[in-house]
């Protein structure tokens, strides 16, 4: 069922102009939109590299956006301070790699930053359930992470419903974020099942009418 939270569109800068990320961030600021999604890739956990804390720190002073940092790293626990220092306001970490997930969530929280877990499309919902009381947000990948412009994975839809149901049953208040292949059609499929935070890269930056895209996906 629809989320208790207002719907937020968080454009992914991965789909921006990598020769001029500041200008792509300006596009988001002037939409105007509140969040920017920053995809951090290490070439190990995912077969791609994007940008690091230095780039995030360089973008921070010129932006009022909420920096939603998605760590696609084998060892995210080693980079928490670096991204906090860079200006991250939320850090999401994957449950798949072998590192202390709970301790890392607690560390992010203890340092005054919002935190959450990320599950890949093939990762079962149960792999994330134990962490939910610590989460400000749950990010469900609707593509295999690593690249923008992929096709939406409809088989993740039941997982969205599951985390929406747990949010209600457990009396929790986390946001439910989806990421990958989000466009006008797939956004509606996700929000109808409880998603409230929509990451869009390609569909946002390539939208012929960005204002209409924002209005349609966020309903405002
Ligand atoms: C993929 C990233 C996504 C991606 C979304 O690994 O986590 O945020 O950039 O891009 P689109 O919206 O183009 O699928
Ligand atoms: Zn992402």
């Amino acid at each position: 069922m629809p989320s208790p939270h207002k719907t937020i569109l968080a454009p992914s800068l991965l789909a921006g102009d990598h020769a001029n990320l500041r200008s792509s961030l300006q596009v988001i600021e002037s939409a105007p939109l509140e969040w920017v999604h920053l995809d951090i890739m290490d070439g190990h956990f995912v077969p791609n590299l994007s940008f690091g804390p230095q780039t995030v720190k360089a973008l921070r002073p010129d932006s009022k956006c909420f920096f939603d940092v998605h760590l696609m790293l084998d060892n995210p626990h080693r980079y928490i301070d670096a991204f906090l220092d860079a200006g991250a306001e939320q850090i999401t970490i994957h449950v798949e790699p072998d590192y202390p997930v709970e301790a890392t969530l607690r560390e992010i929280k203890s340092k005054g930053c919002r935190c959450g877990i990320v599950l890949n499309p093939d990762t079962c919902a149960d792999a994330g359930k134990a962490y939910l009381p610590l989460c400000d947000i749950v990010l469900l990948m609707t593509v295999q992470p690593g690249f923008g412009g992929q096709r939406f994975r409809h088989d993740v839809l039941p997982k969205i419903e599951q985390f929406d149901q747990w949010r209600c049953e457990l009396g929790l208040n986390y946001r439910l974020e989806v990421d990958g292949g989000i466009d006008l059609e797939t956004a509606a499929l996700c929000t109808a099942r409880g998603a409230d935070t929509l990451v869009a890269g390609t569909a946002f930056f390539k939208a012929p009418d960005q204002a209409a895209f924002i209005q349609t996906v966020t309903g405002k």
Side-chain angles (χ1 to χ4, degrees), residues 156-175:
V156 178
L157 290 173
K159 199 190 302 183
I160 300 170
E161 288 174 315
Q162 177 63 78
F163 279 93
D164 177 51
Q165 191 181 322
W166 281 337
R167 175 168 57 189
C168 191
E169 282 170 6
L170 302 172
L172 297 173
N173 193 37
Y174 50 80
R175 276 193 161 267

Side-chain angles (χ1 to χ4, degrees), residues 12 14-15 37 39 41 46 70 72 141 143-150 179-182 199-203:
S12 166
L14 189 74
H37 184 80
D39 284 310
M41 301 179 180
V46 293
H70 172 193
M72 286 164 272
M141 294 305 298
V143 296
Q144 187 62 17
F147 298 90
Q150 300 178 72
D179 182 2
I182 301 299
V199 177
T202 308

Side-chain angles (χ1 to χ4, degrees), residues 12 39 41 66 80 94 101 106 108 113 120 128 132 134 146 164 180 188-189 192 197 209:
S12 166
D39 284 310
M41 301 179 180
F66 179 83
I80 301 308
H94 277 262
V101 175
R106 290 186 187 283
I108 298 167
C113 182
N120 282 342
L132 293 179
L134 291 168
D164 177 51
L189 295 174
T197 311
D209 180 340

Side-chain angles (χ1 to χ4, degrees), residues 18 25-26 31 44 50 54 89 98 120 132 164 176 184 204:
H18 285 247
L25 187 49
Q26 263 309 312
H44 292 276
S50 57
Q54 199 172 348
E89 290 155 288
D98 178 18
N120 282 342
L132 293 179
D164 177 51
L176 194 44
L184 292 175
F204 173 76

Side-chain angles (χ1 to χ4, degrees), residues 138-142 152 156 160 176-180 182 186-187 190-191 195-200:
V138 173
L139 171 50
L140 299 179
M141 294 305 298
T142 42
F152 179 84
V156 178
I160 300 170
L176 194 44
E177 187 172 32
V178 287
D179 182 2
I182 301 299
T186 58
C190 295
T191 51
D196 46 54
T197 311
L198 307 168
V199 177

Side-chain angles (χ1 to χ4, degrees), residues 76-85 87-91 103-115 136:
H77 57 304
R78 295 199 182 129
Y79 297 90
I80 301 308
D81 284 337
F83 282 99
L84 290 174
D85 176 60
E89 290 155 288
Q90 176 170 275
I91 297 176
T104 307
L105 290 170
R106 290 186 187 283
E107 178 194 353
I108 298 167
K109 246 175 151 52
S110 72
K111 293 177 177 174
C113 182
R114 289 164 62 89
C115 70
D136 298 298

